[in-house]
Amino acid sequence: MSTATDVVIEEISPDAWYAPAQAETLREWQDFTTRHGAYWSDPRWLTALCRGLGHRPYGFLARREGQIVGVLPLASMNTFLFGRFLVSLPYVNTSGVVSEDSEAASELIGNAQRLADTLDVRYLELRHETEFEHPALTEKLTTKVHMRLELTESSDELWKTFKPKVRNQIRKGEKQEFTVRWGGLDELDNYYAVFSENMRDLGTPVFSRELFRQILEQFPDEAELCTVFDGAKPIAAALLAHGPDMTQVPSASSLKAYNSSNVNMLMYWNLLCRSVERGQRRFDFGRSSEDSSTYRFKKQWGAVPEPAVWQYYPRKGRVTDVRRESGKFGYFIAAWQRLPLWLSRQIGPSIVRGIP
C-alpha cells in the first residue's frame, strides 16, 4: 500500500484477483462503478477479458477513510509478437480511471505508472473519455469518437426519427424473410461462425470463442447475442452489453455475401428495439474515425460523436506502432483475407490477444 495525504491505494495482484477472499472487495468495486455509471470499469469486465484473452489482471482502489473513492482496472498483456503492454482495458472502448476527485485519480495513475515500469511494458494505455492531468500521461490519441444515440421511450417513436432512406433499407431487410433469434451461450456457435468469417474477410485476426463465452458467463443478465438467419444459416450476429442506462454493441458482423440484402440494417434495427424494450436511454454504436464508412453508417441512425481520449505513458517506441491505422500492416491484411477460414480461426486468437 502507498499513501498520499488521506488517500490510500490498495493493489490487487494477479495471484489475488481470483481468490475467494477478494470476492467482497470486488463486489464493493462493482457497486462503486455502478453508482458512477462506469460500466466498462466493472471488475467483471477485467475478469472476462483476462480469462478470455489470457492476460493478467491488476486492480488499484483508492480509499479514503476506508471507502472507495476511485478505481483503475488494468490488464497486463505479454506476447512474443508484440511485447508487453498495460491497458485499461483491451477490447472495450472505454475504461481507465474512475474517481470522485483529482487527488484519487492522480494517485491511481501514479501507481499504474510505477507498475508499468516494474513490468517493463512498451506503454501504459488508459481509455478515457475525458482527459486526466498527470505528468506521466504525455501522449494521447483523439482520432476516434464514440457514436451514440439518444433513445426514445418506444420503438414506434424511434422509427419516426429515422430518415426515409434508413426506413426503406430496414423494410428491404424485413422483406427477405430472415429470422432473428436472441440468446446467450446457446447462440455462441452461430454468433462465432459469422463473426470469425467476417473478421477473416476484413483481414483482421479473430478473437477467441472463449472471450465471448467469458463475457456471457460474467454478465448473464446484461450480455446477450442476436443472430439473424437465412433459413438455418446464420448470416449476421451481434453481441449486446446492457449497462445501467446505455447499451453498447462491442462486436457485430454480417456475411459479405449478404451485403446487398440489408441484413445489417435489419439487425441493427432489432438491436435498437431490444435496447428500448429494456428501458435504456442511450445506444452506443462503438468507436469510429470521423468521416469513415463506419462513422457514416452510425450517423445515419442519428448517432452523434462524443470524445474518446486514450492517454498514454509511453516507455518504448510509438503508441501507434501496433495499430491497424498505422498503415504498416497492408500486406498482412491482404494475406490474411486469403487464408482458409479454418486456419484463420485456429491462429487468429493467438495473434489478436497481443494487440492492445
Side-chain angles (χ1 to χ4, degrees):
M1 290 189 181
S2 60
T3 62
T5 64
D6 59 345
V7 174
V8 178
I9 300 298
E10 176 184 347
E11 178 181 345
I12 306 176
S13 68
D15 292 337
W17 185 265
Y18 302 108
Q22 288 295 340
E24 183 58 38
T25 298
L26 295 181
R27 278 193 291 270
E28 188 182 3
W29 177 335
Q30 182 180 333
D31 290 342
F32 177 83
T33 54
T34 299
R35 289 197 307 273
H36 289 79
Y39 180 58
W40 302 101
S41 292
D42 184 312
R44 292 175 294 171
W45 278 106
L46 183 54
T47 298
L49 295 172
C50 286
R51 283 179 170 169
L53 297 172
H55 301 324
R56 290 170 62 79
Y58 287 86
F60 288 112
L61 296 90
R63 293 186 183 271
R64 184 177 286 114
E65 297 181 350
Q67 300 300 310
I68 294 179
V69 293
V71 298
L72 174 55
L74 293 160
S76 172
M77 307 170 60
N78 185 5
T79 63
F80 173 76
L81 284 176
F82 303 105
R84 298 185 181 96
F85 304 90
L86 191 60
V87 182
S88 183
L89 285 173
Y91 182 69
V92 306
N93 291 320
T94 294
S95 189
V97 173
V98 183
S99 68
E100 294 183 353
D101 54 62
S102 59
E103 181 186 4
S106 181
E107 286 302 304
L108 289 167
I109 295 169
N111 277 265
Q113 176 190 6
R114 288 186 283 276
L115 178 61
D117 290 336
T118 299
L119 298 176
D120 194 26
V121 300
R122 294 177 63 168
Y123 57 67
L124 164 69
E125 176 181 274
L126 303 177
R127 299 184 174 185
H128 294 143
E129 295 190 23
T130 57
E131 188 169 353
F132 284 85
E133 295 292 336
H134 192 280
L137 301 179
T138 58
E139 293 189 31
K140 63 183 178 181
L141 291 178
T142 58
T143 53
K144 293 184 183 289
V145 292
H146 300 283
M147 295 298 289
R148 291 168 176 162
L149 173 68
E150 296 291 330
L151 297 175
T152 57
E153 292 188 2
S154 72
S155 298
D156 289 341
E157 290 178 73
L158 187 61
W159 179 263
K160 294 174 184 177
T161 68
F162 299 152
K163 293 180 179 179
K165 180 180 178 181
V166 171
R167 296 184 197 175
N168 289 336
Q169 288 175 321
I170 296 170
R171 290 191 183 104
K172 288 179 181 177
E174 291 174 333
K175 290 178 181 178
Q176 305 294 322
E177 297 185 355
F178 299 140
T179 56
V180 178
R181 199 157 76 199
W182 294 90
L185 292 171
D186 56 325
E187 280 298 314
L188 183 53
D189 287 345
N190 292 320
Y191 164 84
Y192 198 70
V194 176
F195 179 72
S196 58
E197 182 171 340
N198 184 55
M199 289 298 101
R200 190 278 311 269
D201 291 344
L202 292 174
T204 301
V206 66
F207 285 110
S208 68
R209 185 182 180 279
E210 179 65 12
L211 170 63
F212 302 107
R213 187 180 74 82
Q214 288 291 339
I215 292 172
L216 292 167
E217 288 188 348
Q218 288 293 319
F219 297 92
D221 299 321
E222 296 139 271
E224 59 179 339
L225 300 174
C226 175
T227 314
V228 185
F229 293 84
D230 181 6
K233 180 180 181 179
I235 59 173
L239 167 66
L240 276 191
H242 303 285
D245 66 349
M246 181 165 64
T247 292
Q248 188 171 95
V249 52
S251 296
S253 294
S254 59
L255 298 184
K256 185 168 64 174
Y258 285 81
N259 282 353
S260 63
S261 71
N262 288 291
V263 65
N264 209 35
M265 297 296 290
L266 173 65
M267 179 175 68
Y268 268 87
W269 169 235
N270 277 270
L271 301 183
L272 290 168
C273 289
R274 188 72 160 192
S275 304
V276 170
E277 290 169 5
R278 290 180 65 107
Q280 301 289 76
R281 295 190 298 176
R282 309 182 79 201
F283 187 90
D284 189 333
F285 285 85
R287 292 187 316 129
S288 292
S289 299
E290 290 196 68
D291 205 34
S292 64
S293 59
T294 58
Y295 177 93
R296 292 190 292 273
F297 172 82
K298 297 164 186 177
K299 186 178 180 181
Q300 70 181 333
W301 295 95
V304 297
E306 296 183 3
V309 185
W310 287 18
Q311 293 184 263
Y312 295 86
Y313 166 51
R315 299 185 68 254
K316 303 174 184 178
R318 296 179 300 176
V319 299
T320 56
D321 282 346
V322 296
R323 295 276 172 213
R324 180 181 177 124
E325 53 266 32
S326 68
K328 290 182 174 182
F329 302 106
Y331 175 80
F332 176 85
I333 291 169
W336 195 268
Q337 290 170 323
R338 294 192 293 271
L339 285 182
L341 184 56
W342 67 267
L343 183 59
S344 71
R345 288 172 176 164
Q346 185 174 4
I347 65 176
S350 63
I351 296 173
V352 75
R353 67 176 293 272
I355 303 175

